Structure formats: structure tokens, C-alpha cells
Amino acid sequence: MPSEGRCWETLQALRSSDKGRLCYHRDWLLRGEDVLEECVSLPKLSPYSGWVVDHVLPHTRDNPPPSEMSPSSRPTSALDQPLFVPKSPTRSSAFLPASPETPNGAQDKHEYQHSESMVLQSCRGTKVEGCIRMYELVHKLKGTEGLRQWQEEQERKVQALSEMASEQLKRFDEQKELKQHKEFQDLREVMEQSSKEALGHQEKLKAEHRHRAKILNLKLREVEQQRLKQAEQERLRKEEGQVRLRSLYTLQEEVLQLNQQLDASGQHRDLKVDLAAFQTRGNQLCSLISGIIRATLESLLCSSGLQVKVQDSTMQWYQKLQDASSQCVLAFEGLTSSKDSQAKKIKMDLQKAATIPVSQISTIAGSKLKEVFDKIHSLLSGKPVQSGGRSVSVTLNPQGLEFVQYKLAEKFVKQGEEEVASHHEAAFPIAVVASGIWELHPRVGDLILAHLHRKCPYSVPFYPAFKDGMALEDYQRLLGYQVKDSKVEQQDNFLKRMSGMIRLYAAIIQLRWPYGNQHAIHPHGLNHGWRWLAQILNMEPLSDVTATLLFDFLEVCGNALMKQYQIQFWKMIVLLKDDYFPRIEAITSSGQMGSFIRLKQFLEKCLQRKEIPVPKGFLTSSFWRS
């Protein structure tokens, strides 16, 4: 369209004019910017020029030019007033039409039209610029108003959100408090319920306890009544036994008298009757009555508190050895109780001569062991020996031999109690010397057994019983415990000592002195070991003690018993495993199962291999060649 071309031409003319090339701003003074700063920059159109060209100029083209409009029809808007109209004194002449006589009249007319056109274009540019400025102002006002409204809207939203968040926080706090209150209420209810249940359970336990206590009291009352009844029956039985025993004594005495009367052959010479058959029968009756009396005494002894049954022959043998030991002590009582300094010196020299060689027994070499043996044998034989740099002999005092025999036997047993208990292999060299001395000096052997039985009654075997009126410490000593200042030794130490003495005894019964008479019989051989094992199995076991001693005994002399008794020995072992193990296990607590398990595993391994191994430390033929 032609009008569009003119618009762009107008803008181009404005831009090319002196004013268009100027860079200025109406608000320089207000903005406080440097005026000269923009003078060096190229002139630029407003960013809203395009919008004005597209929206404002089309409307201005539709309106008639200002020259064609009447004054009354012109708009009075500020946009219609030119912002800048150049005034020049030559304006009228410049724009006057040329006269016809002027040769250049046509040209002047053209220039006039052109100048008028420029003026109109300048007015229109001014109007466009005013529109642009007005649009910028309106747009700025609208933006400011919109920003204000947007800020107010955001403030209202923020206020609303803040109020909503505050309300939600209040609701959350209320819900949290309600939840805590509910949880506390539930916890209190649970605690109250648990307390009620605990109280109910406690009441139930109290009721059960009262019921059990009542039942226990009834049982205790029944047991006490039964005990009293049994005690009364026992008392009556004892009285009846005593009556029967007195009657038996009376009958025995009468039979003996009759037998003595029959022996008085002078009174019956005138009779032609053979009284030999009556005498024989009388002797048989005496023997029968004596057997009945012994059985009655044994029954009374067992009823008086004996824990286990011991064979009467074993008890007699045990008592005989203790009596021999007591007589030996009485025999040298004068030497030990003498106040004479010379007697005291002799006693100390003899004691050292008897005990020091036993302490020197070791497994170093067979030759050293022979020297110890010869020295002890010489001392017991009355020969002088060197001890402590002096010559010592049992002939220095009439009671010297009994003293040396007693102290020597005591020292052998003490070595088993201490040395063998700590070093099991030491049992064999000590035992072989003791066996050789025992063979040459039988009284020393009896004293060894007496000391051994006194310190370890289980070597008899014998389980001492507690007697009425006996002090507890005396009974503990009778069982083999060491009691010092009313304090009893620990069970582990007690078992260790008992184990050492049983090992020494088990070694003695299978060893002989290799330089002695090989055709002689062992003074206390394996037959005593067989007897000991058989009697142990016929007695009720003791917790922890029986299993420990059985293991020690079989580990030391089990191989020798196996070779000596063969199939009979294995029958004994099977009996021990099948019948005796359950009896031991029944009385053994969970904390004392160590010795029982060790014995069980040892015998099971031996039965599986059908052999009991040679004990560790056994003296071989090479030992004696060293």
C-alpha cells in the first residue's frame, strides 16, 4: 500500500535528519545520568516502534491530514500538537509560489511542495514520537499497576498460606498431643494390665508355694514318722539281736562245757560207749554257733551306720595292720619322747638316713636306683651308712630299728601322696624299691600298707562310716581329707592325693626288685589287685572318688592284670562297663562328670582294641642297663 511506503519514508527521513541523529532524553535531569554518555552512541528507535507502526499509524492514515481538517474537527489531544515545529524567517518566502514570469517557476513550485511535504512529514514524525512516548508511559503505568496488584496478590497468598500453615501446625500439634496422650493411655493400660497379671501370677505362685509347702510338710512329717518308726524298729531289732546274741553266747558256753566234759575221758572209762562221734558233733555245733554270732555282729554293725558292706576278712586284715602300726609306735616311744640331747641327735640322724634316700629315687638310671636300694637295705640290716657326713646305724639305739622301719614306710607313702600325685611316672621307680625292701623286710611292707590304708582308706577298699558322737573334722580325717585349722582341703587336691597313692599301690603289686630272688613269691602281688578290684565292684560307688580311683588303678596295672587273668579280666571289665557304670552315673552330678567320662572313654577304647596299653613310665629292661 502507498501509505505504508510513506510511513517508512517518514521514519527514514526522521532518522536521517539532524534532530533524528541527535541522542537526547527528556528525563536526563531526573535520571541523573551522564548526558554525554549517550552522545557517542548511535541513535536507536524505541523498542515499541514496531508496535506503533503496526497499530497507531494505520489509524492516522485513515484520518485526513491536518491541512484538510477543519479547526473544529481536529482533536484536542496532546498527541495532535506537534512537539517541535521549526520556525524560520525565510519560511514564507521559501514556501511562496513563484510568479509565472519566473523562468524557474515550475521548479520553485516543486520545491515548495517538497518542503511542505517535509513539514508534514516532520509533524507526523513528531506525532509518532509522541504516540511512542505515550505508549511507553501507559505501558509503564500498566506494568507498575500490574506489579503492584501482583505483589498485593502474592502478599495475600503468602498471608493465606501463612495462616493455613499456622492452622495446619496447630492441627498437627493437637494431633501429636492427642496421639501422645493416647499412647500414654495405652501404655498405662498395658502397665496396669501387666501389673494385674503379675499380681495374679504372684498370688498364684504364693498359692502354689503354700500348697507345696503344705505337701512338703506332710511329706516331712511322714518321713519323720517313718524315720522314728524305723528307728524304733531298729532299736527293737537291736534289742532282739542282743537277746539272741546273749542266748547264742549261752548256748555256745553250754556246748563248750559239754564238750569239755566229754574230753574228760577219765570220767567215762567205766562206760563202754564211744564218745568220739559226740565230740565231733559238739565241735561242729561250736563252729556253727560261732558263724551265727559273727553274722549277727556284722548285721548289727551295718545297722549302726556303716555306709557299705565290707567283708569281715578285709576288716580283720585292715585292723590287724593298724594294730601292728600302733605297736610299732609304742615300741620306739622312748626314743621319740626322750629329752636327752644324744637320743634326739640319734633320732634325727636315723630319720634322715631313712627318708633322704627315698627322696633321691628317680628315673635317671637303674644304677642310681640300685645305690639307693642298697643304702636303705644296709640301714635296715644294721650296717652303718653315711648320712649327712656321719656314720649312722640302727644299732645306736635299741629302738632304732622300729623307728627307721616306721619312718621309711611313712616316707614311701608320702612320696606317693606328693611326688606320684604330681608326676605319675614316678610311681614305678618308687614302687620297685618299695617292693624289693618289702620282700627282704616284710615288717616294712606291713607298715607301708598301714600308712596307706590310714591316709587312703579306699585302698583297702573301705568307706569309713560316720559314728554317733564323732566330730565332723575327725570324720573328714577318717575319710582321708587334710584338715588344718578347721579348714578342709579342696576336693581337687584331695582327689589328686588319693590318685597318687592308688597309683603307687597299683605299681607295687605288679613290680619286683630285679636283683632279688626271682623264685620267691611277691609279698603283695597281683592277686591283691584282683581282690581290690572285685571288692570295689561289690560296693556302692562314691561320687567322683570311685571313678577317679578306678581309672588310676586300671591305667597303671590294667595291662598286668590282663596278662595274668586274661579272659576273666575282660569279663570283669565288661561287668564294670555294663553294670557298674550306670551306678556311678546315677550318683554323679553334672559338675563331677569329668572323672566318669575319662574312665568310660578309657575302657571303651580298651574294649574296642581288646588290649590295655602298657602304662607310661613303665621300667623296661634298658632302664636297668643304664
Side-chain angles (χ1 to χ4, degrees):
M1 297 175 61
S3 61
E4 292 182 2
R6 288 196 299 272
C7 290
W8 285 111
E9 289 175 359
T10 302
L11 293 176
Q12 184 65 27
L14 290 173
R15 185 174 184 181
S16 300
S17 63
D18 295 336
K19 185 179 179 181
R21 286 195 297 269
L22 292 177
C23 182
Y24 68 95
H25 199 278
R26 297 179 181 274
D27 301 327
W28 282 348
L29 296 177
L30 297 176
R31 291 169 58 185
E33 296 179 356
D34 189 3
V35 175
L36 298 178
E37 183 179 357
E38 295 183 359
C39 293
V40 297
S41 61
L42 295 176
K44 297 180 182 179
L45 291 175
S46 173
Y48 301 100
S49 301
W51 186 87
V52 171
V53 172
D54 293 337
H55 297 83
V56 176
L57 292 181
H59 296 285
T60 59
R61 288 197 301 266
D62 295 338
N63 296 324
S67 60
E68 298 178 359
M69 294 179 62
S70 63
S72 61
S73 62
R74 288 185 181 179
T76 60
S77 173
L79 292 177
D80 295 337
Q81 300 297 327
L83 299 178
F84 175 76
V85 178
K87 294 181 180 181
S88 177
T90 60
R91 177 179 178 184
S92 60
S93 62
F95 291 97
L96 290 176
S99 60
E101 291 82 13
T102 303
N104 293 329
Q107 181 178 2
D108 294 336
K109 183 178 182 180
H110 177 72
E111 288 178 359
Y112 174 76
Q113 292 177 351
H114 178 72
S115 297
E116 186 179 3
S117 171
M118 291 296 292
V119 172
L120 293 174
Q121 290 179 357
S122 178
C123 293
R124 185 176 296 176
T126 302
K127 184 178 182 180
V128 169
E129 184 179 359
C131 291
I132 291 173
R133 294 298 181 90
M134 185 58 68
Y135 175 79
E136 289 178 352
L137 180 60
V138 171
H139 184 74
K140 184 177 180 181
L141 293 175
K142 288 182 177 180
T144 303
E145 181 65 21
L147 179 61
R148 186 185 60 79
Q149 293 178 358
W150 181 82
Q151 288 179 346
E152 291 177 355
E153 181 67 22
Q154 295 301 317
E155 289 176 356
R156 287 194 299 272
K157 290 181 179 179
V158 169
Q159 183 67 23
L161 289 174
S162 177
E163 293 176 357
M164 183 176 66
S166 178
E167 290 298 324
Q168 289 180 352
L169 182 60
K170 290 181 180 179
R171 301 291 84 77
F172 175 79
D173 292 337
E174 291 175 356
Q175 291 178 357
K176 184 178 179 180
E177 183 178 359
L178 180 62
K179 184 178 179 181
Q180 290 178 351
H181 180 72
K182 184 178 180 181
E183 290 177 352
F184 175 77
Q185 188 68 21
D186 294 340
L187 180 61
R188 186 170 64 181
E189 291 177 359
V190 170
M191 292 178 64
E192 291 177 355
Q193 183 67 22
S194 300
S195 176
K196 291 180 181 178
E197 292 177 358
L199 291 175
H201 185 65
Q202 185 177 4
E203 291 297 330
K204 184 178 180 181
L205 290 177
K206 287 182 179 179
E208 291 179 358
H209 178 71
R210 288 192 295 268
H211 181 67
R212 291 178 181 177
K214 184 177 180 180
I215 294 176
L216 183 60
N217 290 332
L218 292 175
K219 289 184 178 180
L220 289 175
R221 193 177 297 111
E222 292 175 359
V223 169
E224 181 65 19
Q225 292 177 356
Q226 186 177 3
R227 188 189 65 80
L228 293 175
K229 183 178 180 180
Q230 290 178 352
E232 181 65 20
Q233 292 177 353
E234 188 68 22
R235 186 184 64 80
L236 294 176
R237 193 169 66 83
K238 286 182 180 180
E239 291 179 356
E240 292 174 0
Q242 294 293 339
V243 172
R244 289 196 299 270
L245 189 61
R246 287 193 292 269
S247 300
L248 288 174
Y249 279 134
T250 303
L251 291 175
Q252 186 182 24
E253 183 178 2
E254 184 179 355
V255 171
L256 290 174
Q257 291 177 357
L258 291 175
N259 193 23
Q260 291 175 359
Q261 291 177 5
L262 290 176
D263 288 338
S265 57
Q267 299 179 3
H268 306 285
R269 291 177 181 176
D270 55 341
L271 298 177
K272 298 180 180 180
V273 180
D274 188 6
L275 300 179
F278 294 99
Q279 292 177 353
T280 302
R281 181 58 180 168
N283 291 330
Q284 292 177 352
L285 291 176
C286 287
S287 299
L288 289 174
I289 292 174
S290 298
I292 295 172
I293 291 174
R294 283 196 300 270
T296 304
L297 287 174
E298 181 179 353
S299 176
L300 291 175
L301 186 62
C302 292
S303 300
S304 63
L306 198 64
Q307 291 181 347
V308 291
K309 183 179 180 180
V310 182
Q311 292 183 1
D312 54 343
S313 59
T314 302
M315 289 300 301
Q316 291 174 5
W317 173 58
Y318 166 80
Q319 193 60 48
K320 181 180 178 180
L321 292 173
Q322 296 304 316
D323 293 340
S325 177
S326 299
Q327 292 174 4
C328 183
V329 173
L330 292 175
F332 62 83
E333 184 179 7
L335 178 62
T336 56
S337 61
S338 176
K339 304 297 183 180
D340 183 62
S341 59
Q342 184 66 23
K344 291 182 178 180
K345 185 175 181 298
I346 292 174
K347 183 187 71 172
M348 293 300 299
D349 291 340
L350 290 175
Q351 184 171 346
K352 291 179 180 179
T355 57
I356 290 177
V358 179
S359 301
Q360 296 174 346
I361 296 175
S362 65
T363 58
I364 297 176
S367 58
K368 298 291 183 181
L369 206 61
K370 190 174 185 302
E371 292 178 3
V372 173
F373 178 86
D374 292 338
K375 190 173 184 179
I376 296 174
H377 175 57
S378 299
L379 179 65
L380 291 172
S381 301
K383 298 178 182 180
V385 296
Q386 294 296 320
S387 177
R390 291 193 299 270
S391 178
V392 181
S393 174
V394 295
T395 59
L396 295 176
N397 189 283
Q399 302 175 357
L401 180 60
E402 288 82 2
F403 179 76
V404 168
Q405 290 174 341
Y406 187 88
K407 290 298 179 181
L408 182 63
E410 185 182 49
K411 183 61 177 178
F412 274 118
V413 176
K414 191 173 183 180
Q415 284 295 99
E417 183 182 15
E418 297 177 354
E419 183 66 20
V420 179
S422 301
H423 305 90
H424 293 169
E425 298 178 9
F428 296 97
I430 298 173
V432 74
V433 175
S435 177
I437 297 297
W438 193 334
E439 183 176 347
L440 297 176
H441 305 275
R443 192 177 184 187
V444 176
D446 292 339
L447 292 173
I448 289 175
L449 284 176
H451 282 289
L452 184 65
H453 292 170
R454 189 181 306 116
K455 287 193 172 184
C456 179
Y458 315 102
S459 61
V460 178
F462 171 53
Y463 300 158
F466 184 83
K467 298 180 181 179
D468 294 336
M470 180 183 294
L472 181 60
E473 295 181 2
D474 294 338
Y475 179 64
Q476 290 169 339
R477 290 189 181 95
L478 193 62
L479 291 174
Y481 288 89
Q482 290 181 346
V483 183
K484 295 180 180 179
D485 299 329
S486 301
K487 294 182 179 180
V488 184
E489 68 177 334
Q490 297 294 327
Q491 183 71 7
D492 292 341
N493 189 63
F494 167 75
L495 292 175
K496 183 179 179 180
R497 293 191 304 104
M498 299 299 109
S499 174
M501 288 185 281
I502 284 295
R503 284 180 176 271
L504 178 62
Y505 180 70
I508 289 175
I509 63 178
Q510 63 175 312
L511 293 177
R512 294 196 61 189
W513 182 247
Y515 303 103
N517 184 6
Q518 298 301 319
H519 299 287
I521 302 175
H522 194 296
H524 197 79
L526 284 174
N527 58 316
H528 289 273
W530 180 266
R531 176 197 61 81
W532 183 88
L533 184 60
Q535 290 194 4
I536 280 288
L537 298 183
N538 286 328
M539 299 167 66
E540 288 297 327
L542 295 181
S543 176
D544 212 9
V545 176
T546 304
T548 300
L549 300 184
L550 278 173
F551 173 78
D552 294 325
F553 184 84
L554 292 174
E555 189 178 48
V556 175
C557 70
N559 181 268
L561 290 173
M562 177 190 68
K563 294 177 179 178
Q564 178 74 19
Y565 296 100
Q566 298 180 1
I567 189 66
Q568 297 300 324
F569 172 78
W570 287 114
K571 288 181 179 179
M572 182 82 76
I573 296 301
V574 172
L575 176 67
L576 170 61
K577 178 180 177 296
D578 295 340
D579 296 338
Y580 205 67
F581 271 5
R583 294 162 64 183
I584 298 177
E585 189 174 6
I587 63 167
T588 304
S589 63
S590 59
Q592 298 175 338
M593 293 297 291
S595 57
F596 170 75
I597 294 175
R598 183 176 55 177
L599 173 63
K600 185 177 181 180
Q601 291 177 349
F602 172 78
L603 290 185
E604 287 177 350
K605 186 181 295 184
C606 293
L607 288 170
Q608 183 180 2
R609 298 178 179 178
K610 295 184 178 180
E611 182 183 10
I612 293 183
V614 177
K616 187 177 180 180
F618 190 81
L619 302 179
T620 60
S621 57
S622 61
F623 171 80
W624 299 106
R625 292 195 296 268
S626 59

